[in-house]
Structure formats: structure tokens, C-alpha cells
Amino acid sequence: MAATKNKSLLFIFITILIDVIGIGIIIPVTPKLIQHLTGEGLSEASIYGGFLAISYALMQFLFSPVLGGLSDRFGRRPILLIALFGLGIDYIFMAFAPSIAWLFVGRILAGISGASFTTATAYIADISEPEKRAQNFGLVGAAFGIGFIIGPVIGGICSKWGTEVPFLVAAAFSLLNFIYGYFILPESLKPELRRKFEWKRANPIGSLIHLKKYPMVLGLVTTLVFLYLAGKSVESTWSYYTMYKFSWDETWVGYSLGVVGVIVAIVQGGLIRTVIPKLGHTKSIFIGLPLMFFGLILFAFATQGWMMMAFLIPYCLGGITGPALQGVISNQVPANEQGELQGALTSLISLTSIIGPLIMNNLFSYFTGNTAPFIFPGAAFIAGAFMLLIGALFATKSLLKK
């Protein structure tokens, strides 16, 4: 039984890793593809790129609860396999998109299929003992860290043979993962633990309303949302901030993102599996939040480029917070509602991918522009730190009810 669980956990890790590698593969070539399809310059292409990202996140926001609810009804395995197959077909579709409109269609389909993260995390909850869920959720973060190291490198290399090649490579990864899962992956949700699918609960609002019966869950979900919003201050402005303040070029930005990926992979994939069992979920949350807070403050006031690399350490160590929060939240919800829960979480996290960049990029733009009352390129990091304080208040209130 333990060996089967470990194999299943490995498959889910590989599934998420391949999904993220697929996303990473197309990052370096998307600007050129947009330019090719629109005939516009790089500046105009970036606007299209922003809307493509929003369309992807919006679909995840809308469809994550649907896939989560379907996985509670029919089991994790069929929904996960359908999503993987759909993602593979979508990458092929995007490789041969004849116009920018079709590229948007492709991103919409990718957002729907990319909601496989919902089913994957529900699968992790199914096969994990309550005390090990947080450590196993950490594998999701590790997959993201490793995927964003490997993916862009593969994409950059493959782009030498044409802008469509990275998309076809991403498609191959997804379809091979589908084939592997079809023959290897067992079902994790027993038939007696499944529930009826209800459309009124298969949407972001319906899922959250249903979770009101778990007061602690709502408070900690709010903390998780603010945690992800705070993280957008780094994801959205890191390149602009380091180029503006330290005159980094694309190569140095790439190196720094590689360092981020390595540290995240170490923390999420290894450290969490030792720290959370020793400290417990609650202590991990209240240690992780201050580490992230001080990391953001240090970023905002860094005076040398090397400091950004050094300050990544406390910030990334604060990454123990997310899995610890997910562990506590998941343990409050019964097995036949894990899909719905993970769908609601994925949906909300997708929403932060829409709202967060709008807030953070505009803060950076305003405080580095001519109309700013004073020049302060680190304003987004301060906003992120403030959001962590709000999240900490909700966490304190919720965890004190235990």
C-alpha cells in the first residue's frame, strides 16, 4: 500500500512538473509568436501577452471548481487524464494558430485544461495521511520551482528551429504524461466516498459559500489569498525592478530566476518534509509569514544587486507557509469534498493572477514615473508586505479558534 501511494505521489509530482515545464517552454517564444501573428513591435506584443495571461487565469478561475466537483463525482483519475489530453492537444493547436484570435482560443482552452492542478492536489489529499498532507502539498511548489528552471531552457533551445517547435515539445510532454497515467495511475477516491455533482457548487462563489460551514477554512483561505497576492509583487515586478534599479540585463534576470527556482525546489521539495512535522502546521505558518514579510521589505530597500540574491533566502524560506496552510485547510474537509475544496483554492489563486499583476505593475509604473511624488521602485514589495500583515491577522484569528 505504501509503495503504491509513493508511486502515485511520484506520478502526480511528474504531472504537475510536466504541466509547469510546458508553461515554461512557451515563455521565451510567446513574444515572437505574438509579433509574428500581429505584425506589431515588442511593446505592443507585451500588451497582447498580458491579455493572454489574464484569459488563461480567468478560465482557471471559472473552471477549477467544475473540474474539482467532477472529480468528487467521477473520481480523480478520469478527470486528470482528460485534462492532460486536452492540454496536449491545445499545445498542438497553438503551434499552428493562424491568427492572434486563435491564439486566444488556445490560451482559453489551456486555462480550462490547466485546471488539472485542482484534481492533482485533490489526489494528493486523498492518498496522504492528515499529518503528511502539508509536506506532500510542498511537492507542488517543488514542481513549480524545477519546472520554471527546466522549461524556459528547453523553450529557448527549441526555438532555434522555429517558434512552433517549443509548443510541439510541450504537447509531447503532456501527451506522454497522459499515456503514462492511463496505464499506471490508480484511482484515489473510493466509490463510496464520492458525492453528487451540483452545478450550484461547481463555481467559485458556490464553492466558497459551501465552505462557510467550516469557519476556520474561510479564514485560512483568506490568508492564502493574501499570501499569493503578496507573491505577485515579486513575480510581476522582479524583472522590471532589477533592470531599473541595478541595470541588470536579460541574462542576469534569467540567472536570478534560476536561483529562485533552485531555492524554491529545495524548500518545497525537501525542507518542508522535515520542518513542518517538527514544528507543526501552526508554528510553520507563524514562522513562514514573518520570513516572507522581511524578505519583501529587504527587496524594497536593497541597494546592491547581490543583495537581491541574498534576500531571496528568507523570502523563499517563508515558502513553508503555503503548504502548512493547505495542510490545515485540507484536514478540516471530508474526503468527498476535497475536489471541491481544491477547485475553490485553485480558482482563488487564479484570481490573484488577474488582480495581483494589475496592482503590482501599476505601483511600479507609478512610483518610477514622472508624476510620482517620489521615486520608489520597491513600492510593490511594500504593498506585498502589507498584504502579508492582513493575511497574518486572519490566520491568527482562525487558528486561535482551534
Side-chain angles (χ1 to χ4, degrees), residues 321-346:
T321 310
L325 278 169
Q326 283 187 285
V328 176
I329 292 168
S330 180
N331 288 342
Q332 306 300 312
V333 177
N336 65 350
E337 294 181 13
Q338 287 294 329
E340 179 180 41
L341 169 66
Q342 300 304 329
L345 293 182
T346 304

Side-chain angles (χ1 to χ4, degrees), residues 45-393:
S46 68
I47 297 173
Y48 282 106
F51 282 113
L52 284 169
I54 289 173
S55 65
Y56 177 88
L58 182 60
M59 289 304 103
Q60 283 211 318
F61 172 71
L62 294 173
F63 282 90
S64 291
V66 176
L67 289 189
L70 288 172
S71 75
D72 281 341
R73 171 64 182 88
F74 298 105
R76 317 299 184 203
R77 185 176 184 275
I79 305 304
L80 187 57
L81 291 177
I82 290 170
L84 288 173
F85 183 78
L87 197 60
I89 297 301
D90 175 67
Y91 282 133
I92 296 173
F93 178 89
M94 291 178 67
F96 299 105
S99 67
I100 189 67
W102 282 106
L103 198 61
F104 271 96
V105 173
R107 282 284 80 190
I108 289 169
L109 293 174
I112 295 170
S113 300
S116 58
F117 290 119
T118 295
T119 313
T121 49
Y123 195 108
I124 291 173
D126 290 341
I127 65 173
S128 303
E129 300 297 328
E131 65 274 11
K132 291 185 178 180
R133 279 180 180 164
Q135 300 99 289
N136 291 340
F137 282 137
L139 290 175
V140 177
F144 269 85
I146 296 171
F148 276 113
I149 297 170
I150 299 173
V153 173
I154 295 175
I157 293 172
C158 292
S159 65
K160 294 178 182 178
W161 292 283
T163 54
E164 74 278 359
V165 175
F167 289 91
L168 295 176
V169 173
F173 271 110
S174 292
L175 293 176
L176 285 172
N177 202 20
F178 163 78
I179 294 169
Y180 176 70
Y182 182 83
F183 290 105
I184 300 297
L185 186 68
E187 178 54 63
S188 64
L189 187 65
K190 297 176 181 178
E192 62 269 23
L193 294 178
R194 298 176 190 179
R195 67 174 179 86
K196 181 182 177 182
F197 179 80
E198 299 176 67
W199 278 109
K200 66 180 181 181
R201 290 168 59 175
N203 62 80
I205 305 302
S207 296
L208 290 173
I209 290 174
H210 181 71
L211 291 176
K212 282 177 66 177
K213 65 180 182 180
Y214 309 108
M216 183 191 295
V217 168
L218 273 184
L220 293 180
V221 165
T222 304
T223 300
L224 197 64
V225 168
F226 278 107
L227 182 75
Y228 274 90
L229 278 174
K232 299 304 172 187
S233 66
V234 178
E235 294 175 27
S236 301
T237 68
W238 180 272
S239 300
Y240 301 101
Y241 179 79
T242 52
M243 288 179 174
Y244 179 90
K245 195 166 185 179
F246 308 116
S247 300
W248 285 6
D249 59 16
E250 294 89 342
T251 302
W252 273 102
V253 171
Y255 289 153
S256 69
L257 292 175
V259 172
V260 172
V262 170
I263 298 175
V264 168
I266 291 171
V267 172
Q268 300 284 337
L271 191 62
I272 277 175
R273 307 183 75 80
T274 302
V275 171
I276 293 180
K278 287 187 176 180
L279 295 178
H281 293 83
T282 302
K283 284 186 179 179
S284 296
I285 292 168
F286 288 125
I287 290 174
L289 283 170
L291 283 170
M292 287 190 73
F293 174 85
F294 287 116
L296 289 175
I297 297 296
L298 291 171
F299 287 153
F301 294 101
T303 57
Q304 300 290 329
W306 64 265
M307 292 181 178
M308 298 298 287
M309 299 289 198
F311 297 156
L312 280 170
I313 295 174
Y315 176 77
C316 290
L317 284 174
I320 64 174
T321 310
L325 278 169
Q326 283 187 285
V328 176
I329 292 168
S330 180
N331 288 342
Q332 306 300 312
V333 177
N336 65 350
E337 294 181 13
Q338 287 294 329
E340 179 180 41
L341 169 66
Q342 300 304 329
L345 293 182
T346 304
S347 183
L348 287 170
I349 290 167
S350 300
L351 187 61
T352 67
S353 297
I354 300 170
I355 298 172
L358 291 174
I359 297 172
M360 303 307 177
N361 285 24
N362 277 290
L363 279 172
F364 175 84
S365 177
Y366 178 73
F367 281 99
T368 55
N370 295 328
T371 59
F374 54 90
I375 300 298
F376 184 49
F381 298 132
I382 298 299
F386 179 72
M387 289 176 181
L388 287 177
L389 286 177
I390 297 174
L393 290 175

